[in-house]
């Protein structure tokens, strides 16, 4: 049963889409923000995300608990992060090349182990209905919020607070901004980066588990369709701030819902173009906020593609 | 004698004395330091003089534990110690302010200070830290904004913060590596006066590396001079004249004197009118209202770093597009493209030439050939003429005395002075009508400085218009015909060099007028 709410459906669908679609972006981009703040780029998060989706789904199916699946996804993500961080510690290793290798490796491994789990149905992560006050089913649908979304927002605030107010946070920023200064302070730069990458991997694993255990809510090989890579790009757009990462993810999720929403209210002409809205929006905002003459003050100084 | 290395939980409360005995440091066959013994009593202000490569940094690096000396002993407060690594030196109360900055650019001053402490708590209570910091700052003779990312501070402010950091950490023996090279004379006096005050009060001992005799005579108690890795002399500053110290430093060597200034008069070569561009932060505007440079004249632009000189250089070199106004060379609009620069014979010598005017991994010969590789006497060339390149490079390397292992070595393997000479050789070859220079002698030694200044003066005498942007006021005073002072992105003051008054220039540099 649906109530016809006309054009109001569009902003509602965008809001619902923003909340549903943004969650994996929030986790992956905050994870990548932590890694990049420590001075490394981990492009392998796409592979970590896919493997997290697969392993989370498989473990949830066998244990019959979505939460155990989530933990497993985080654990495997951590392992992927540790592998990336450990290999990058070796001399003359380029973090971007390793990231690309791990991206392909992670996806391949997930497809290999994931074949038997395409059919079975695993338990889902719970959602909280924040739309109880409304009789309109579309409103209720839009405001069914998964617990991971709330955790993601809390994570953004916590990560931002940590970077400013704790020794760990300042240490990560020092390691990412000037390895020389970090060594002068007696900080083991490689260790900081190893664990920052591991934490980033664990968060990406959680993002993957959200995909397979909530939305879309099943495991298949096309589940990520590049979301892990987009999340890495979002970090640059968010200027390495965890809170901005959450905003950027919401914006991206909302824009992604524009196409289906317009289609559902009967706009048939060129709605495929609206499917490209998130990419166009990101590109436009990146161009608008960049400058050839101003220094990008917030970029961690140690990030580099040549090492 | 390792037992003295146990950690001291609290830094010593009084100034430390320090002595090196027969310090020797060999790197393979090369002896960087030979049998150097110096004695710095507690509470004294000691200066280490010497040319580049004389072994000053090697000596202080041995003291600070970056190097393990091949032979020799170090005594701190009468006890023989072995400093295995910089941490151990810090635990003894030894600290160092480096020539390059060790602050973390994206952290604020407050964050930099707090994270540098050995005992940072896991959760930082900013309210309490802030209180402690303001109590600490209240006793300091100068202030630094605490809440701005350090990357946005000017070089002078960063240097102050470096010093504040050492004091904040409670260091009682401080090594300063040319701390005033980025400061105005009055700032330098203020900084050194404060260090002097701390040493006289017995709170601090200071060992300063310096090239500036003025600072030595004004502030130091004692001086030690190194030459080619050996102790060349020293003693109480009151017993020595500047000439004595210079003689110890250079030994028997003839300095290249600045070429004499000859009378010239010429047409306006460079003109900037109402030229506006945003600065590197994008929040402020650099505005050059009216700037003219005539043929055969050196116009010096003085100023503290961070007041828009870097942006001015970028505007002139076409790296920073203008929002308004224009640049004219020989009365023609000029946008600093390569073809325009070639047509009007405009040459550049930017600061940090290895970064801004070279391809570091390409060879010396290739770097010297950058101006001519695609043209021969005005005609375009498609193929690179390797033979002509080698011949030209060999000639210029000889003429400008660039010390390099071979023409095929990467230019990054050369020392700073030799990179500067190589770039100067490239830029001054052929006809030059306009030369734009920024900080040409930054970090170079005595004889290299004199030689490079002589080359600039010779270019002027032969009718080149020279715009010299420099943070070294002595350099501006020595070379310029006219002096402009840049402050907060604008030309704040102009005076002919002949009647210039240092006090007045300093006032405008500091922005008080």
């Amino acid at each position: 049963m649906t109530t016809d709410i006309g054009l109001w459906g569009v902003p509602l669908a965008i809001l619902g889409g923003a909340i549903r679609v943004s969650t994996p972006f929030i986790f992956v981009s905050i994870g990548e923000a932590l890694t990049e703040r420590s001075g490394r780029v981990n492009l392998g998060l796409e592979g970590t995300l896919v493997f997290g989706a697969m392993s989370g789904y498989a473990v949830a199916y066998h244990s019959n608990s979505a939460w155990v699946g989530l933990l497993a996804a985080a654990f495997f993500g951590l392992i992927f992060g540790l592998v990336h961080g450990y290999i990058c510690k070796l001399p003359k290793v380029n973090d971007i090349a390793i990231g690309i290798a791990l991206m392909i490796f992670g996806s391949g491994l997930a497809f290999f182990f994931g074949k038997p789990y395409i059919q079975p149905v695993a338990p889902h992560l719970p959602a909280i209905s924040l739309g109880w006050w409304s009789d309109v089913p579309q409103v209720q649908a839009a405001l069914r919020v998964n617990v991971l979304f709330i955790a993601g927002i809390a994570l953004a605030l916590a990560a931002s607070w940590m970077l400013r107010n704790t020794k760990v946070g300042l240490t990560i920023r020092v390691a990412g901004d000037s390895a020389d200064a970090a060594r002068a302070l007696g900080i083991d730069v490689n260790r900081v980066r190893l664990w920052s990458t591991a934490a980033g991997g664990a968060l990406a694993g959680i993002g993957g588990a959200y995909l397979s255990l909530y939305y879309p809510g099943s495991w298949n090989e096309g589940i990520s369709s590049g979301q892990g890579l987009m999340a890495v790009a979002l970090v640059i757009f968010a200027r390495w701030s965890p809170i901005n990462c959450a905003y950027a993810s919401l914006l991206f999720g909302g824009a992604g819902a524009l196409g289906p929403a317009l289609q559902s209210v009967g706009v048939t002409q060129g709605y495929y173009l609206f499917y490209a809205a998130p990419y166009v929006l990101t590109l436009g905002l990146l161009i608008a906020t960049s400058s050839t003459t101003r220094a990008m003050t917030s970029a961690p100084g140690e990030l580099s593609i040549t090492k | 004698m390792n037992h003295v290395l146990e950690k001291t939980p609290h830094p010593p409360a009084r100034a430390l004395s320090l002595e090196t005995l027969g310090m020797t440091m060999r790197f393979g066959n090369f002896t960087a330091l030979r049998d150097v013994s110096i004695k710095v009593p507690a509470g004294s202000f000691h200066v280490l003089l010497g040319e580049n490569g004389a072994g000053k940094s090697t000596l202080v690096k041995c003291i600070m534990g970056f190097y393990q000396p091949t032979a020799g002993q170090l005594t701190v407060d009468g006890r023989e110690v072995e400093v295995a690594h910089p941490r151990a030196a810090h635990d003894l109360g030894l600290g160092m302010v480096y020539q390059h900055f060790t602050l973390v650019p994206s952290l604020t001053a407050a964050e930099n200070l707090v994270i540098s402490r050995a005992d940072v708590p896991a959760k930082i209570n900013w309210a309490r830290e802030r209180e402690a910091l303001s109590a600490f700052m209240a006793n300091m003779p100068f202030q630094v904004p605490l809440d701005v990312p350090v990357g946005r501070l000017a070089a002078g402010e960063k240097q102050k913060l470096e010093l504040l950091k050492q004091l904040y950490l409670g260091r009682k023996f401080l090594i300063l590596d040319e701390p005033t090279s980025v400061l105005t004379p009055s700032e330098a006096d203020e900084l050194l006066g404060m260090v002097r005050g701390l040493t006289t009060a017995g709170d601090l001992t200071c060992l300063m590396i310096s090239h500036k005799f003025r600072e030595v005579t004004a502030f130091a108690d004692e001086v030690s001079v190194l030459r080619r890795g050996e102790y060349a002399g020293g003693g109480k500053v009151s017993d020595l004249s500047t000439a004595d110290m210079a003689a110890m430093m250079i030994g028997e060597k003839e300095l290249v004197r600045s070429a004499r200034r000859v009378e010239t008069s010429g047409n306006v070569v460079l003109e900037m009118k109402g030229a506006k561009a945003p600065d590197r932060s994008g929040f402020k505007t650099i505005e050059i209202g009216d700037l003219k440079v005539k043929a055969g004249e050196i116009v010096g632009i003085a100023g503290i770093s961070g007041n828009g000189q870097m942006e001015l250089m970028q505007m002139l070199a076409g790296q920073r597009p203008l929002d308004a106004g224009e640049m004219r060379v020989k009365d023609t609009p000029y946008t600093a493209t390569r073809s325009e620069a070639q047509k009007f014979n405009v040459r550049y010598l930017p600061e940090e030439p290895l970064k801004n005017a070279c391809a570091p991994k390409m060879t010396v010969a290739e770097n010297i050939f950058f101006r001519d590789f695609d043209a021969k006497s005005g005609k375009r060339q498609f193929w690179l003429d390797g033979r002509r390149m080698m011949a030209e490079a060999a000639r210029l390397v000889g003429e400008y005395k660039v010390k390099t292992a071979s023409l095929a070595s990467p230019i990054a393997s050369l020392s700073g002075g030799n990179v500067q000479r190589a770039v100067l050789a490239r830029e001054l070859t052929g006809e030059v009508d306009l030369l734009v220079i920024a900080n040409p002698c930054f970090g170079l030694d005595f004889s290299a400085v004199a030689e490079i200044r002589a080359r600039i003066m010779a270019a002027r005498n032969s009718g080149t218009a020279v715009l010299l942007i420099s943070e070294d006021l002595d350099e501006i005073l020595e070379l310029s015909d006219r002096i402009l002072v840049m402050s907060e992105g604008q030309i704040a003051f102009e005076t002919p060099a002949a009647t210039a008054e240092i006090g007045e220039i300093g006032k405008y540099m500091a922005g008080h007028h």
Side-chain angles (χ1 to χ4, degrees):
Chain A
M1 164 203 125
T2 51
T3 320
D4 188 21
I5 52 167
L7 283 178
W8 277 106
V10 178
L12 256 184
I14 290 175
L15 176 69
I19 291 172
R20 254 194 332 272
V21 179
S22 64
T23 308
F25 287 119
I26 293 178
F27 277 92
V28 180
S29 60
I30 291 175
E32 180 68 11
L34 283 183
T35 307
E36 292 193 12
R37 274 297 185 93
S38 79
R40 278 221 186 105
V41 177
N42 183 3
L43 282 186
L45 288 191
E46 167 74 9
T48 314
L49 182 86
V50 175
F51 197 84
M54 191 285 297
S55 57
Y57 196 77
V59 172
Y61 169 71
H62 285 298
S63 67
N64 207 23
S65 159
W67 293 109
V68 177
L70 187 74
L71 278 182
F75 172 77
F76 285 113
L78 186 86
I79 300 291
F80 269 90
L82 283 176
V83 169
H84 184 277
Y86 184 78
I87 297 175
C88 289
K89 261 168 69 169
L90 306 172
K92 290 189 181 174
V93 170
N94 181 294
D95 51 349
I96 291 183
I98 296 301
I100 292 173
L102 278 181
M103 171 162 72
I104 297 165
F105 177 70
S107 305
L109 210 61
F111 297 165
F112 177 73
F113 288 116
K115 278 274 182 279
Y117 298 104
I118 295 179
Q119 288 295 329
V121 177
H124 274 196
L125 287 164
I128 302 167
S129 286
L130 294 179
W132 44 265
W133 47 269
S134 171
D135 296 331
V136 186
Q138 285 93 332
V139 173
Q140 289 178 352
L143 289 179
R144 270 178 63 80
V145 176
N146 188 272
V147 281
L148 280 189
F149 175 77
I150 296 163
I153 299 296
L155 177 72
L157 295 170
S160 169
W161 181 84
M162 181 198 82
L163 285 173
R164 272 181 291 117
N165 291 299
T166 65
K167 184 180 181 183
V168 176
L170 285 186
T171 307
I172 291 175
R173 287 167 61 196
V174 172
D177 214 39
S178 166
D180 285 337
R183 278 185 210 107
L185 292 175
I187 294 171
D188 182 347
V189 176
N190 276 327
R191 226 184 72 187
V192 173
R193 292 182 182 167
L194 175 74
W195 288 106
S196 299
T197 315
L203 292 178
I206 294 177
Y210 176 90
L211 287 177
S212 61
L213 293 176
Y214 186 70
Y215 182 83
S218 63
W219 158 248
N220 64 69
E221 293 180 357
I223 193 163
S224 150
S225 60
Q227 292 185 36
L229 273 179
M230 282 311 299
V232 172
L234 280 187
V235 176
I236 302 172
F237 170 52
R239 297 285 184 262
W240 295 271
S241 144
I243 290 185
N244 284 351
C245 280
Y247 281 131
S249 303
L250 279 170
L251 191 70
F252 202 75
L258 190 61
L262 285 175
Q263 199 185 0
S264 71
V265 296
V267 177
T268 49
Q269 283 240 308
Y271 65 86
Y272 277 112
L273 275 181
F274 291 103
Y275 280 98
Y279 310 98
V280 175
L281 191 71
T282 310
L283 198 61
L285 280 169
L286 269 179
I287 293 170
T289 55
S290 69
S291 161
T292 52
T293 50
R294 246 182 305 136
M296 190 144 75
T297 45
S298 44
E302 288 286 318
L303 284 187
S304 146
I305 58 163
T306 53
K307 194 185 97 178
Chain B
M1 285 276 164
N2 278 331
H3 63 275
V4 283
L5 258 185
E6 78 262 18
K7 290 206 171 185
T8 31
H10 293 291
R14 303 285 301 165
L16 296 167
S17 68
L18 184 140
E19 199 179 338
T20 68
L21 203 65
M23 205 65 108
T24 302
M25 183 75 213
R26 278 191 209 97
F27 299 99
N29 285 329
F30 175 66
T31 307
L33 206 62
R34 193 195 306 272
D35 198 21
V36 173
S37 305
I38 62 166
K39 197 172 180 178
V40 187
S44 66
F45 195 134
H46 198 102
V47 169
L48 203 53
L49 274 173
E51 295 195 82
N52 273 8
K56 295 166 309 202
S57 4
T58 312
L59 177 64
V60 298
K61 278 180 179 165
C62 286
I63 295 175
M64 287 303 294
F66 288 99
Y67 296 151
Q68 300 308 310
T70 319
Q73 286 156 7
L74 179 67
T75 313
V76 174
D77 250 6
R79 292 191 301 178
E80 194 181 323
V81 293
E82 228 168 89
V83 183
H85 45 86
R87 267 266 150 124
H90 296 163
D91 290 339
L92 287 166
L94 312 181
M96 178 160 171
V97 173
Y98 302 86
Q99 216 171 356
H100 61 264
F101 299 116
T102 60
L103 298 163
V104 186
S106 74
L107 267 59
T108 66
E111 287 173 331
N112 263 295
L113 288 177
V114 169
I115 193 69
S116 66
R117 243 170 40 201
D119 61 335
V120 202
K123 180 192 165 300
I124 297 160
N125 182 343
W126 276 114
R128 197 184 309 151
E129 295 294 347
R130 200 146 280 284
E131 220 168 274
L133 277 174
S134 33
F136 165 75
M137 292 294 269
N139 291 325
M140 293 294 129
F142 49 72
Q143 302 298 313
V144 170
L146 286 176
D147 294 315
V148 181
V150 167
R152 255 188 252 157
L153 297 181
E157 285 177 314
K158 282 189 206 163
Q159 191 65 296
K160 287 180 186 172
L161 186 58
E162 293 276 3
L163 188 74
L164 284 177
K165 188 171 103 180
Q166 296 300 321
L167 298 172
Y168 175 76
L169 294 174
R171 306 278 156 78
K172 293 299 169 190
F173 183 96
L174 213 52
I175 297 171
L176 306 176
D177 191 355
E178 297 188 40
T180 60
S181 49
V182 290
L183 306 184
T184 62
S186 65
E187 274 182 311
D189 287 354
E190 193 188 332
L191 184 88
L192 295 179
M194 176 203 142
V195 175
R196 171 85 232 184
L198 289 167
T199 57
T200 323
D203 292 330
L204 189 72
T205 313
C206 177
L207 176 64
M208 175 168 83
I209 296 177
S210 180
H211 286 148
K212 294 181 183 164
F213 292 120
R214 194 184 67 83
E215 291 171 359
V216 178
T217 45
F219 295 101
D221 302 314
E222 279 175 61
V223 60
S224 294
V225 184
L226 297 186
R227 187 171 71 233
R228 287 193 210 121
E230 290 180 59
Y231 184 78
K236 282 210 163 24
V237 172
S238 44
D239 299 342
L240 294 166
S241 71
T242 317
D244 294 335
M245 290 188 267
M248 288 180 206
M249 241 171 102
I250 331 171
E252 278 101 63
K253 183 167 29 169
E254 226 174 276
L255 274 183
V256 187
R257 298 254 160 249
S258 266
R260 270 222 333 266
R261 199 179 288 273
V262 298
E263 275 309 310
T264 54
S265 68
N267 303 325
V268 173
V269 178
L270 171 73
E271 192 178 3
M272 288 178 92
K273 258 212 177 98
K276 278 189 198 176
D279 78 341
R280 70 198 106 151
S281 71
F283 298 120
K284 284 189 244 158
T285 306
I286 309 296
E287 186 177 358
I288 307 297
D290 183 26
L291 171 67
K292 287 196 183 85
V293 186
K294 284 187 250 168
E297 120 178 298
I298 299 180
V299 173
I301 299 214
I304 309 160
S305 83
N307 274 287
Q309 300 97 312
M310 195 185 92
E311 286 85 352
L312 173 60
M313 182 75 194
Q314 290 175 332
M315 285 155 83
L316 286 164
Q319 293 166 291
R320 191 167 283 275
L322 300 187
D323 284 348
E326 64 167 355
M327 296 190 286
R328 297 177 83 85
V329 172
K330 298 184 196 165
D331 221 21
T332 319
Y334 178 75
T335 54
T337 60
R338 186 160 191 260
S339 56
E340 280 177 334
Q342 275 171 347
K343 188 170 146 208
F344 296 121
N345 301 323
V346 182
R347 302 296 176 87
Y348 298 96
L349 186 64
E351 61 185 333
E352 297 180 67
L354 188 61
K355 202 171 109 194
N356 290 319
C358 294
K361 286 177 186 166
M362 290 175 80
T363 67
V364 173
E366 285 165 337
N367 271 286
I368 288 182
F369 208 48
F370 276 172
R371 289 254 169 231
D372 308 310
F373 72 95
D374 60 346
K376 186 182 181 185
S377 44
K379 264 201 233 139
R380 293 264 143 219
Q381 279 203 315
F382 183 76
W383 300 105
L384 183 69
D385 186 346
R387 213 169 290 156
R388 186 164 68 96
M389 175 170 85
M390 285 323 231
E392 273 289 291
R395 184 176 68 78
L396 289 174
V397 160
E399 198 175 304
Y400 281 79
K401 302 191 192 74
V402 182
K403 276 184 216 135
T404 168
S406 95
L407 291 178
S409 328
I411 197 156
S413 67
L414 269 54
S415 75
N418 284 312
V419 173
Q420 192 71 279
R421 285 195 191 97
V423 175
L424 204 60
R426 178 180 82 205
E427 298 298 314
L428 285 182
T429 304
E431 230 169 86
V432 186
D433 291 336
L434 173 62
L435 183 63
V436 184
I437 315 173
N439 293 323
C441 300
F442 195 80
L444 302 189
D445 70 49
F446 226 65
S447 50
V449 166
E451 189 193 322
I452 282 166
R453 288 183 187 164
R455 299 261 183 205
I456 296 171
M457 188 57 88
R460 169 208 178 268
N461 289 342
S462 66
T464 304
V466 181
L467 183 67
L468 170 69
I469 302 170
S470 176
E471 282 157 34
D472 182 348
L473 191 54
D474 293 336
E475 179 168 84
I476 297 265
L477 291 168
E478 179 187 333
L479 292 176
S480 310
D481 297 292
R482 262 191 307 140
I483 297 173
L484 308 183
V485 178
M486 217 170 160
S487 168
E488 285 167 18
Q490 303 192 331
I491 306 283
F493 181 61
E494 175 175 347
T495 172
T499 58
E501 234 184 273
I502 299 185
E504 202 170 11
I505 292 175
K507 235 170 37 195
Y508 281 96
M509 281 168 77
H512 307 305
H513 42 80

